[in-house]
Amino acid sequence: MKNILFKITALITCAAAAVCMLASCDAKAPSLVLRGESTTKAEFDEEAFRAEYERTSVPESETASESETASESETHADESASQTPEESETEPEKEKTTAEKISETAESVVESLTQAVTKVTTTKKTVVDTKIEKKETKSDYKYGVKKTDVISTYYDIYSDGSKVQTDKKQYTKYDYSGFKASTNDLLPEAKSNNAKYTAQIAAAASAVNGYRTSESKEKLTLDPSLCNAACVRATEMAYSGKLGSTRPDKRGYATVLTDLGISASKPWELTCKGYSDGTSAAGALKSASDKYAGMIREDYKKIGVGAAADPEGTVYWCFIFTE
């Protein structure tokens, strides 16, 4: 149908062109009118007109092709006009939009991470102080001695007010200032110590006799009753923390013999502390010249040695010499 319309249009166009040419032709008119011949309608050369038409007309196939092309162009134009802005985007434009979105997302993530790192950095805790918390539990030990169990907990204090434990120590301390005990109070433990330190007591006596032998002096006899008396003295020194010839009750050291019913002539006492064995204790006493002189006295015949450890493990020693 389109081909027919195009053909009719082309014929009308050619006919109109021919009329115009005939109306305006002069002596130089186209060859479809012979020179010198009449141009009236009766004398019109139809064959010449048809030949000229076929020469100047557009082939039907080309006309149809152009028509279809024009129609397709109009169709595409209509489709493009009807598309939304999003649908009319070309592929490069879509790719560009996607890339921009990815870039924006990446920038947002980087910004968030940067803020998080900055927050962590600026809020980092630092140690501003240390603190010790002590928990003490007090109790009676024995003979008036007080015992205190201590738990010390160490903390680091941080800038945000929090605290973190760094160490914990437990220990026991003793207060000997309240010691008060009689000879009879101490005697059971003194006898126990005499048995506990039997070997070291014998070693101490042997060391003293060795000094005496080297000085050509008679050996001393280790007397059990004197050893009990010496152990009483060692025990009361251990729980009072006091060395010396005066007892915790302010009496002289020789009163321990009287308390135990021991008869002795001219008793003499030497004391020391901090030695784990009898030989070392005897050697410590020998190093003092005044004490050594008493240890090797000619008129001494008996010796008693006592030992006792205080609650913290320090060993106290007592040597009693008699005629």
Side-chain angles (χ1 to χ4, degrees), residues 5-21 49 52-53 56-58 63:
L5 291 173
F6 278 117
K7 187 172 182 179
I8 293 172
T9 303
L11 289 174
I12 294 172
T13 301
C14 291
V19 171
C20 291
M21 290 173 62
F49 174 79
E52 183 63 14
Y53 164 73
T56 59
S57 63
V58 179
T63 303

PDB file of all heavy atoms in Angstrom, residues 5-21 49 52-53 56-58 63:
ATOM      1  N   LEU A   5       1.147   4.409  -2.858  1.00  0.00           N
ATOM      2  CA  LEU A   5       1.022   5.827  -2.507  1.00  0.00           C
ATOM      3  C   LEU A   5       2.248   6.605  -2.941  1.00  0.00           C
ATOM      4  O   LEU A   5       2.135   7.724  -3.476  1.00  0.00           O
ATOM      5  CB  LEU A   5       0.826   5.974  -1.000  1.00  0.00           C
ATOM      6  CG  LEU A   5      -0.523   5.476  -0.438  1.00  0.00           C
ATOM      7  CD1 LEU A   5      -0.517   5.527   1.072  1.00  0.00           C
ATOM      8  CD2 LEU A   5      -1.662   6.315  -1.021  1.00  0.00           C
ATOM      9  N   PHE A   6       3.438   6.000  -2.683  1.00  0.00           N
ATOM     10  CA  PHE A   6       4.662   6.688  -3.105  1.00  0.00           C
ATOM     11  C   PHE A   6       4.706   6.841  -4.621  1.00  0.00           C
ATOM     12  O   PHE A   6       5.161   7.857  -5.162  1.00  0.00           O
ATOM     13  CB  PHE A   6       5.905   5.911  -2.610  1.00  0.00           C
ATOM     14  CG  PHE A   6       6.253   6.220  -1.182  1.00  0.00           C
ATOM     15  CD1 PHE A   6       6.199   5.211  -0.221  1.00  0.00           C
ATOM     16  CD2 PHE A   6       6.605   7.492  -0.791  1.00  0.00           C
ATOM     17  CE1 PHE A   6       6.501   5.489   1.080  1.00  0.00           C
ATOM     18  CE2 PHE A   6       6.914   7.769   0.504  1.00  0.00           C
ATOM     19  CZ  PHE A   6       6.857   6.766   1.456  1.00  0.00           C
ATOM     20  N   LYS A   7       4.200   5.822  -5.375  1.00  0.00           N
ATOM     21  CA  LYS A   7       4.219   5.874  -6.848  1.00  0.00           C
ATOM     22  C   LYS A   7       3.267   6.943  -7.382  1.00  0.00           C
ATOM     23  O   LYS A   7       3.619   7.725  -8.279  1.00  0.00           O
ATOM     24  CB  LYS A   7       3.808   4.506  -7.420  1.00  0.00           C
ATOM     25  CG  LYS A   7       3.963   4.430  -8.924  1.00  0.00           C
ATOM     26  CD  LYS A   7       3.720   3.008  -9.370  1.00  0.00           C
ATOM     27  CE  LYS A   7       3.911   2.892 -10.896  1.00  0.00           C
ATOM     28  NZ  LYS A   7       3.703   1.512 -11.395  1.00  0.00           N
ATOM     29  N   ILE A   8       2.087   7.034  -6.741  1.00  0.00           N
ATOM     30  CA  ILE A   8       1.121   8.046  -7.187  1.00  0.00           C
ATOM     31  C   ILE A   8       1.678   9.427  -6.929  1.00  0.00           C
ATOM     32  O   ILE A   8       1.586  10.340  -7.772  1.00  0.00           O
ATOM     33  CB  ILE A   8      -0.220   7.856  -6.471  1.00  0.00           C
ATOM     34  CG1 ILE A   8      -0.865   6.535  -6.910  1.00  0.00           C
ATOM     35  CG2 ILE A   8      -1.152   9.027  -6.701  1.00  0.00           C
ATOM     36  CD1 ILE A   8      -2.089   6.161  -6.131  1.00  0.00           C
ATOM     37  N   THR A   9       2.279   9.567  -5.721  1.00  0.00           N
ATOM     38  CA  THR A   9       2.865  10.869  -5.375  1.00  0.00           C
ATOM     39  C   THR A   9       3.949  11.250  -6.356  1.00  0.00           C
ATOM     40  O   THR A   9       4.055  12.414  -6.792  1.00  0.00           O
ATOM     41  CB  THR A   9       3.445  10.813  -3.965  1.00  0.00           C
ATOM     42  OG1 THR A   9       2.424  10.441  -3.037  1.00  0.00           O
ATOM     43  CG2 THR A   9       4.012  12.155  -3.543  1.00  0.00           C
ATOM     44  N   ALA A  10       4.769  10.279  -6.700  1.00  0.00           N
ATOM     45  CA  ALA A  10       5.856  10.551  -7.660  1.00  0.00           C
ATOM     46  C   ALA A  10       5.302  10.947  -9.015  1.00  0.00           C
ATOM     47  O   ALA A  10       5.822  11.849  -9.683  1.00  0.00           O
ATOM     48  CB  ALA A  10       6.742   9.319  -7.779  1.00  0.00           C
ATOM     49  N   LEU A  11       4.227  10.297  -9.535  1.00  0.00           N
ATOM     50  CA  LEU A  11       3.633  10.629 -10.830  1.00  0.00           C
ATOM     51  C   LEU A  11       3.073  12.032 -10.819  1.00  0.00           C
ATOM     52  O   LEU A  11       3.254  12.796 -11.785  1.00  0.00           O
ATOM     53  CB  LEU A  11       2.520   9.617 -11.164  1.00  0.00           C
ATOM     54  CG  LEU A  11       2.998   8.196 -11.509  1.00  0.00           C
ATOM     55  CD1 LEU A  11       1.798   7.264 -11.665  1.00  0.00           C
ATOM     56  CD2 LEU A  11       3.806   8.210 -12.814  1.00  0.00           C
ATOM     57  N   ILE A  12       2.369  12.385  -9.730  1.00  0.00           N
ATOM     58  CA  ILE A  12       1.793  13.732  -9.650  1.00  0.00           C
ATOM     59  C   ILE A  12       2.892  14.767  -9.654  1.00  0.00           C
ATOM     60  O   ILE A  12       2.810  15.792 -10.334  1.00  0.00           O
ATOM     61  CB  ILE A  12       0.911  13.861  -8.394  1.00  0.00           C
ATOM     62  CG1 ILE A  12      -0.314  12.932  -8.507  1.00  0.00           C
ATOM     63  CG2 ILE A  12       0.484  15.295  -8.166  1.00  0.00           C
ATOM     64  CD1 ILE A  12      -1.142  12.844  -7.277  1.00  0.00           C
ATOM     65  N   THR A  13       3.957  14.449  -8.897  1.00  0.00           N
ATOM     66  CA  THR A  13       5.081  15.400  -8.815  1.00  0.00           C
ATOM     67  C   THR A  13       5.706  15.597 -10.191  1.00  0.00           C
ATOM     68  O   THR A  13       6.008  16.721 -10.614  1.00  0.00           O
ATOM     69  CB  THR A  13       6.133  14.887  -7.831  1.00  0.00           C
ATOM     70  OG1 THR A  13       5.534  14.727  -6.537  1.00  0.00           O
ATOM     71  CG2 THR A  13       7.290  15.867  -7.700  1.00  0.00           C
ATOM     72  N   CYS A  14       5.893  14.497 -10.900  1.00  0.00           N
ATOM     73  CA  CYS A  14       6.511  14.584 -12.232  1.00  0.00           C
ATOM     74  C   CYS A  14       5.608  15.320 -13.212  1.00  0.00           C
ATOM     75  O   CYS A  14       6.077  16.105 -14.046  1.00  0.00           O
ATOM     76  CB  CYS A  14       6.816  13.175 -12.765  1.00  0.00           C
ATOM     77  SG  CYS A  14       8.160  12.390 -11.824  1.00  0.00           S
ATOM     78  N   ALA A  15       4.322  15.091 -13.086  1.00  0.00           N
ATOM     79  CA  ALA A  15       3.370  15.746 -13.994  1.00  0.00           C
ATOM     80  C   ALA A  15       3.383  17.235 -13.763  1.00  0.00           C
ATOM     81  O   ALA A  15       3.394  18.047 -14.715  1.00  0.00           O
ATOM     82  CB  ALA A  15       1.973  15.178 -13.770  1.00  0.00           C
ATOM     83  N   ALA A  16       3.384  17.624 -12.512  1.00  0.00           N
ATOM     84  CA  ALA A  16       3.414  19.050 -12.191  1.00  0.00           C
ATOM     85  C   ALA A  16       4.684  19.683 -12.693  1.00  0.00           C
ATOM     86  O   ALA A  16       4.682  20.805 -13.234  1.00  0.00           O
ATOM     87  CB  ALA A  16       3.286  19.230 -10.674  1.00  0.00           C
ATOM     88  N   ALA A  17       5.768  18.945 -12.563  1.00  0.00           N
ATOM     89  CA  ALA A  17       7.043  19.476 -13.048  1.00  0.00           C
ATOM     90  C   ALA A  17       7.010  19.647 -14.546  1.00  0.00           C
ATOM     91  O   ALA A  17       7.535  20.619 -15.097  1.00  0.00           O
ATOM     92  CB  ALA A  17       8.179  18.543 -12.624  1.00  0.00           C
ATOM     93  N   ALA A  18       6.378  18.683 -15.215  1.00  0.00           N
ATOM     94  CA  ALA A  18       6.324  18.757 -16.677  1.00  0.00           C
ATOM     95  C   ALA A  18       5.494  19.942 -17.120  1.00  0.00           C
ATOM     96  O   ALA A  18       5.847  20.666 -18.069  1.00  0.00           O
ATOM     97  CB  ALA A  18       5.727  17.475 -17.238  1.00  0.00           C
ATOM     98  N   VAL A  19       4.362  20.199 -16.488  1.00  0.00           N
ATOM     99  CA  VAL A  19       3.501  21.331 -16.842  1.00  0.00           C
ATOM    100  C   VAL A  19       4.258  22.624 -16.671  1.00  0.00           C
ATOM    101  O   VAL A  19       4.197  23.524 -17.503  1.00  0.00           O
ATOM    102  CB  VAL A  19       2.228  21.313 -15.987  1.00  0.00           C
ATOM    103  CG1 VAL A  19       1.442  22.600 -16.196  1.00  0.00           C
ATOM    104  CG2 VAL A  19       1.390  20.111 -16.326  1.00  0.00           C
ATOM    105  N   CYS A  20       4.979  22.709 -15.546  1.00  0.00           N
ATOM    106  CA  CYS A  20       5.764  23.927 -15.293  1.00  0.00           C
ATOM    107  C   CYS A  20       6.804  24.127 -16.384  1.00  0.00           C
ATOM    108  O   CYS A  20       7.049  25.243 -16.837  1.00  0.00           O
ATOM    109  CB  CYS A  20       6.444  23.850 -13.939  1.00  0.00           C
ATOM    110  SG  CYS A  20       5.288  23.943 -12.543  1.00  0.00           S
ATOM    111  N   MET A  21       7.409  23.019 -16.790  1.00  0.00           N
ATOM    112  CA  MET A  21       8.447  23.124 -17.817  1.00  0.00           C
ATOM    113  C   MET A  21       7.834  23.585 -19.120  1.00  0.00           C
ATOM    114  O   MET A  21       8.401  24.406 -19.851  1.00  0.00           O
ATOM    115  CB  MET A  21       9.134  21.749 -17.982  1.00  0.00           C
ATOM    116  CG  MET A  21       9.999  21.361 -16.784  1.00  0.00           C
ATOM    117  SD  MET A  21      10.612  19.672 -16.933  1.00  0.00           S
ATOM    118  CE  MET A  21      11.585  19.858 -18.433  1.00  0.00           C
ATOM    119  N   PHE A  49       7.390  12.189 -23.297  1.00  0.00           N
ATOM    120  CA  PHE A  49       7.088  12.514 -21.915  1.00  0.00           C
ATOM    121  C   PHE A  49       7.327  11.328 -20.997  1.00  0.00           C
ATOM    122  O   PHE A  49       7.920  11.421 -19.938  1.00  0.00           O
ATOM    123  CB  PHE A  49       5.627  12.972 -21.800  1.00  0.00           C
ATOM    124  CG  PHE A  49       5.202  13.193 -20.356  1.00  0.00           C
ATOM    125  CD1 PHE A  49       5.554  14.338 -19.682  1.00  0.00           C
ATOM    126  CD2 PHE A  49       4.495  12.203 -19.689  1.00  0.00           C
ATOM    127  CE1 PHE A  49       5.171  14.518 -18.379  1.00  0.00           C
ATOM    128  CE2 PHE A  49       4.133  12.407 -18.383  1.00  0.00           C
ATOM    129  CZ  PHE A  49       4.465  13.549 -17.711  1.00  0.00           C
ATOM    130  N   GLU A  52      11.044  10.658 -20.546  1.00  0.00           N
ATOM    131  CA  GLU A  52      11.629  11.629 -19.603  1.00  0.00           C
ATOM    132  C   GLU A  52      11.230  11.320 -18.169  1.00  0.00           C
ATOM    133  O   GLU A  52      12.010  11.444 -17.225  1.00  0.00           O
ATOM    134  CB  GLU A  52      11.165  13.043 -20.000  1.00  0.00           C
ATOM    135  CG  GLU A  52      11.773  14.157 -19.142  1.00  0.00           C
ATOM    136  CD  GLU A  52      13.280  14.241 -19.284  1.00  0.00           C
ATOM    137  OE1 GLU A  52      13.830  13.653 -20.214  1.00  0.00           O
ATOM    138  OE2 GLU A  52      13.935  14.877 -18.417  1.00  0.00           O
ATOM    139  N   TYR A  53       9.991  10.852 -17.928  1.00  0.00           N
ATOM    140  CA  TYR A  53       9.496  10.513 -16.594  1.00  0.00           C
ATOM    141  C   TYR A  53      10.281   9.372 -16.003  1.00  0.00           C
ATOM    142  O   TYR A  53      10.704   9.385 -14.852  1.00  0.00           O
ATOM    143  CB  TYR A  53       8.011  10.154 -16.670  1.00  0.00           C
ATOM    144  CG  TYR A  53       7.520   9.417 -15.437  1.00  0.00           C
ATOM    145  CD1 TYR A  53       7.350  10.090 -14.245  1.00  0.00           C
ATOM    146  CD2 TYR A  53       7.300   8.039 -15.486  1.00  0.00           C
ATOM    147  CE1 TYR A  53       6.938   9.432 -13.130  1.00  0.00           C
ATOM    148  CE2 TYR A  53       6.890   7.388 -14.359  1.00  0.00           C
ATOM    149  CZ  TYR A  53       6.690   8.070 -13.185  1.00  0.00           C
ATOM    150  OH  TYR A  53       6.283   7.409 -12.049  1.00  0.00           O
ATOM    151  N   THR A  56      13.779  10.439 -14.863  1.00  0.00           N
ATOM    152  CA  THR A  56      13.896  11.308 -13.679  1.00  0.00           C
ATOM    153  C   THR A  56      13.214  10.753 -12.443  1.00  0.00           C
ATOM    154  O   THR A  56      13.426  11.264 -11.339  1.00  0.00           O
ATOM    155  CB  THR A  56      13.285  12.689 -14.015  1.00  0.00           C
ATOM    156  OG1 THR A  56      11.911  12.504 -14.382  1.00  0.00           O
ATOM    157  CG2 THR A  56      14.035  13.353 -15.136  1.00  0.00           C
ATOM    158  N   SER A  57      12.404   9.717 -12.559  1.00  0.00           N
ATOM    159  CA  SER A  57      11.673   9.205 -11.389  1.00  0.00           C
ATOM    160  C   SER A  57      12.568   8.321 -10.512  1.00  0.00           C
ATOM    161  O   SER A  57      13.527   7.749 -10.996  1.00  0.00           O
ATOM    162  CB  SER A  57      10.438   8.417 -11.838  1.00  0.00           C
ATOM    163  OG  SER A  57      10.832   7.276 -12.580  1.00  0.00           O
ATOM    164  N   VAL A  58      12.259   8.194  -9.210  1.00  0.00           N
ATOM    165  CA  VAL A  58      13.012   7.376  -8.240  1.00  0.00           C
ATOM    166  C   VAL A  58      12.500   5.954  -8.275  1.00  0.00           C
ATOM    167  O   VAL A  58      11.298   5.736  -8.285  1.00  0.00           O
ATOM    168  CB  VAL A  58      12.841   7.928  -6.821  1.00  0.00           C
ATOM    169  CG1 VAL A  58      13.602   7.079  -5.812  1.00  0.00           C
ATOM    170  CG2 VAL A  58      13.314   9.372  -6.776  1.00  0.00           C
ATOM    171  N   THR A  63      12.455   4.036  -3.066  1.00  0.00           N
ATOM    172  CA  THR A  63      11.415   4.829  -2.400  1.00  0.00           C
ATOM    173  C   THR A  63      10.881   4.104  -1.180  1.00  0.00           C
ATOM    174  O   THR A  63      10.698   4.676  -0.112  1.00  0.00           O
ATOM    175  CB  THR A  63      10.264   5.111  -3.366  1.00  0.00           C
ATOM    176  OG1 THR A  63      10.784   5.760  -4.512  1.00  0.00           O
ATOM    177  CG2 THR A  63       9.227   6.003  -2.708  1.00  0.00           C
TER     178      THR A  63
END
